[in-house]
Amino acid sequence: MARSAQDVATSHLAAVLAGDPLAMAADYGADAVLERLGETFIGHAAIAAYFATVPDRLAGARVVFDSVEVVEDWITFSWHLVGAEQAASGTDVCQVSDGMITHQVVTLDADDF
């Protein structure tokens, strides 16, 4: 039986909070799409390569989730960074199918981190 969107959200939050790029990527399907700042990462390998860059880009900052909403097969995360040199915050919207994230769109409120 496939994981529910709530299970996927819980897993992904734990991976992000742990700063574990491999665990972050593990929630994405083989043909998933991640859209972020005009860049599109297609497929699990490309998404895993993107997540491998996240710990260095965070430079010691940590992600705080302000809200997490799960409605049917959609997850919406609102977040901000604490301890970053410049403020960063945004919203991620993920579609879940067969227990995996299949499409994610990241919208930043201001500057990138």
Side-chain angles (χ1 to χ4, degrees):
M1 180 176 201
R3 298 180 301 167
S4 69
Q6 182 62 56
D7 291 339
V8 173
T10 300
S11 173
H12 198 62
L13 285 172
V16 171
L17 292 173
D20 184 343
L22 292 176
M24 290 178 213
D27 290 316
Y28 291 79
D31 298 322
V33 174
L34 171 62
E35 298 178 56
R36 185 181 189 287
L37 286 178
E39 291 185 89
T40 302
F41 304 91
I42 300 172
H44 187 269
I47 292 169
Y50 161 72
F51 279 122
T53 70
V54 170
D56 285 342
R57 292 177 339 119
L58 284 173
R62 74 182 164 86
V63 179
V64 174
F65 289 98
D66 301 311
S67 68
V68 179
E69 182 180 6
V70 179
V71 178
E72 296 181 10
D73 292 335
W74 294 91
I75 307 166
T76 303
F77 302 102
S78 295
W79 54 270
H80 71 276
L81 297 183
V82 172
E85 288 185 22
Q86 64 185 48
S89 60
T91 303
D92 295 14
V93 177
C94 305
Q95 184 175 18
V96 175
S97 180
D98 296 325
M100 303 298 282
I101 297 171
T102 56
H103 194 167
Q104 179 176 358
V105 177
V106 178
T107 304
L108 296 176
D109 296 328
D111 293 329
D112 196 3
F113 59 93

